[in-house]
């Protein structure tokens, strides 16, 4: 078979497989609408916060079966909560779900099953909200989302440096977490978070202001560019100083995976960032950016390419394998769930109105 015929056959097979996924998915006739946090009513905010806090009152489940369980993170805490189990999935699978082809589909799945847990475990009646951080980019420290101090409906502000950066206002002022050691939710605004990484080759602009990575213009560049180029889209979005990581690190604390000097048994990094309730709003926004890109050009919708092995060893490696090195992933690849939920494929989460998922963004 000639190279051109092989390429044509590959395109035909991909088109057929995509058709198979679409026609065999359960019908999604009434998709729910995910909205920006600040557009929610008082009752809707209170309902989401109530359900999130409810998960912390539920016990650990033995269904959690770590796939990786590396030695550099704490073991499963059987005295922890069901919320802590969700955090542990992200810790356990860290190197599998960042800078690989799983990044976008896995986190789309993760936000979705988190909503399922809120509904099934805590009677949540709403829809997962998202946080449009571009609205806060110009003055992130004083962003309106951090001005909500009400203990019923507020997300709260920055942590108190004299109290290990623990959040002291809003509904999460007493939000207790198990990983990487027991503590109250932490936030530590850090405008230039990459300075500490300046001795590493993979950080090319350590003095960069993190908020410049997720402005409206940067998001337009993402959603309107990279036509049909999933790899290029993810490369720019998940770059070491790109929008996704910059939101994590500018907030510091739990979302940034940083440890105060007094912390014990604390390995820094992206592992425990799901401790932060705003993680779910952040990653719903990450999902929305991908959702918007998918719908910008027809060729984007099913575009997919990525490897299963993370390689952040050098700039050259990142340039060649920005979303993973071989073995390659495909739409048929399984999304790991660490036993908490039934496994699905990447294809199952590609279409947010395809049956398994049933939502749109406003």
């Amino acid at each position: 078979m000639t190279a051109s015929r092989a390429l044509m056959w590959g395109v035909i097979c991909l088109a057929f497989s995509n058709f198979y996924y679409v026609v065999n998915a359960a019908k999604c006739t009434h998709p729910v609408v995910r909205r920006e946090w600040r557009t929610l009513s008082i009752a809707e905010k209170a309902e989401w916060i109530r359900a999130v806090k409810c998960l912390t009152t539920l016990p650990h489940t033995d269904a959690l079966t770590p796939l990786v369980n590396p030695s550099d993170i704490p073991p499963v805490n059987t005295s922890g909560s069901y919320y802590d189990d969700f955090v542990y999935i992200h810790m356990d699978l860290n190197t599998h779900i960042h800078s690989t082809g799983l990044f976008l589909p896995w986190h789309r799945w993760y936000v979705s099953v988190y909503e399922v847990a809120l509904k099934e475990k805590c009677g949540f009646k709403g829809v997962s909200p998202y946080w449009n951080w571009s609205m806060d980019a110009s003055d992130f420290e004083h962003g309106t989302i951090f001005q909500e101090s009400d203990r019923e409906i507020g997300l709260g502000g920055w942590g108190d440096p004299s109290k290990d950066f623990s959040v002291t206002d809003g509904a999460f002022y007493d939000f207790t977490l198990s990983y990487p050691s027991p503590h109250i939710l932490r936030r530590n605004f850090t405008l230039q978070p990459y300075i500490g990484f300046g001795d590493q080759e993979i950080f090319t602009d350590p003095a960069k202001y993190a908020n410049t990575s997720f402005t409206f213009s940067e998001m337009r560049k993402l959603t309107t560019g990279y036509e049909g180029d999933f790899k290029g889209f993810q490369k720019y979005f998940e770059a070491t100083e790109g929008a996704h990581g910059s939101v994590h690190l500018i907030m510091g604390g739990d979302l940034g995976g940083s440890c105060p000097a007094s912390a014990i048994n604390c390995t820094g990094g992206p592992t425990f960032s799901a401790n932060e309730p705003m993680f779910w709003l952040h990653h719903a926004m990450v999902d929305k950016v991908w959702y918007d890109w998918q719908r910008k050009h027809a060729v984007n919708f099913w575009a997919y390419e990525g490897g299963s092995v993370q390689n952040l060893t050098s700039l050259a490696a990142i340039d060649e394998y920005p979303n993973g090195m071989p073995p390659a992933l495909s739409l048929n690849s399984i999304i790991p769930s660490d036993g908490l939920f039934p496994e699905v494929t990447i294809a199952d989460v590609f279409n947010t109105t395809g049956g398994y998922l049933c939502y749109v963004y406003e």
Side-chain angles (χ1 to χ4, degrees), residues 52-348:
V52 171
K53 295 174 79 171
C54 165
L55 289 185
T56 69
T57 68
L58 303 178
H60 156 77
T61 173
D62 290 336
L64 176 60
T65 51
L67 175 69
V68 180
N69 198 19
S71 59
D72 61 348
I73 64 173
V76 172
N77 181 1
T78 57
S79 65
S81 71
Y82 189 68
Y83 187 95
D84 294 322
D85 288 346
F86 261 95
V87 175
Y88 202 87
I89 295 177
H90 196 259
M91 291 176 62
D92 177 52
L93 297 173
N94 173 40
T95 59
H96 289 239
I97 58 175
H98 298 103
S99 301
T100 73
L102 279 175
F103 172 65
L104 289 167
W106 190 91
H107 284 86
R108 173 173 284 180
W109 167 86
Y110 193 41
V111 174
S112 175
V113 294
Y114 182 73
E115 181 180 300
V116 169
L118 293 178
K119 291 178 180 294
E120 293 184 350
K121 301 284 186 180
C122 293
F124 179 54
K125 303 300 183 184
V127 179
S128 291
Y130 69 93
W131 165 31
N132 187 343
W133 12 255
S134 293
M135 295 170 61
D136 303 294
S138 62
D139 186 8
F140 194 83
E141 184 178 11
H142 303 105
T144 58
I145 204 160
F146 300 113
Q147 308 305 313
E148 301 177 337
S149 59
D150 186 278
R151 290 195 173 184
E152 295 295 327
I153 63 168
L155 295 175
W158 300 107
D160 184 340
S162 69
K163 298 179 180 179
D164 280 343
F165 296 99
S166 296
V167 172
T168 59
D169 66 347
F172 298 108
Y173 73 97
D174 60 350
F175 201 63
T176 304
L177 301 146
S178 291
Y179 296 106
S181 56
H183 66 282
I184 301 295
L185 175 67
R186 299 177 179 126
R187 292 180 189 150
N188 179 16
F189 173 70
T190 309
L191 186 58
Q192 294 175 283
Y194 297 106
I195 289 178
F197 303 117
D199 59 340
Q200 297 185 34
E201 179 194 357
I202 63 174
F203 296 96
T204 58
D205 186 8
K208 183 175 184 176
Y209 283 28
N211 60 329
T212 63
S213 296
F214 51 88
T215 60
F216 286 116
S217 61
E218 283 295 294
M219 292 309 98
R220 273 194 302 274
K221 185 186 301 184
L222 267 171
T223 56
T224 62
Y226 305 100
E227 187 170 346
D229 180 11
F230 180 90
K231 181 179 179 180
F233 172 78
Q234 182 179 337
K235 179 180 181 180
Y236 194 76
F237 201 1
E238 205 193 1
T240 50
E241 294 152 359
H244 161 255
S246 287
V247 175
H248 277 275
L249 294 179
I250 197 172
M251 280 192 66
D254 282 290
L255 193 66
S258 57
C259 310
S262 62
I264 59 172
N265 192 26
C266 187
T267 300
T271 52
F272 58 92
S273 59
N275 273 338
E276 166 65 75
M278 290 181 70
F279 172 97
W280 308 101
L281 281 67
H282 168 42
H283 269 281
M285 177 60 180
V286 169
D287 184 55
K288 182 183 185 300
V289 174
W290 179 27
Y291 171 98
D292 290 342
W293 179 82
Q294 283 184 293
R295 284 154 180 78
K296 184 62 179 178
H297 301 287
V299 71
N300 292 357
F301 197 89
W302 287 101
Y304 183 70
E305 177 185 1
S308 58
V309 179
Q310 182 189 88
N311 189 341
L312 303 177
T313 57
S314 67
L315 278 175
I318 293 173
D319 187 59
E320 185 174 5
Y321 305 114
N323 65 342
M325 58 188 290
L329 296 168
S330 73
L331 294 176
N332 292 316
S333 297
I334 296 296
I335 290 177
S337 65
D338 272 9
L340 282 193
F341 289 88
E343 291 181 334
V344 298
T345 67
I346 290 174
D348 289 325

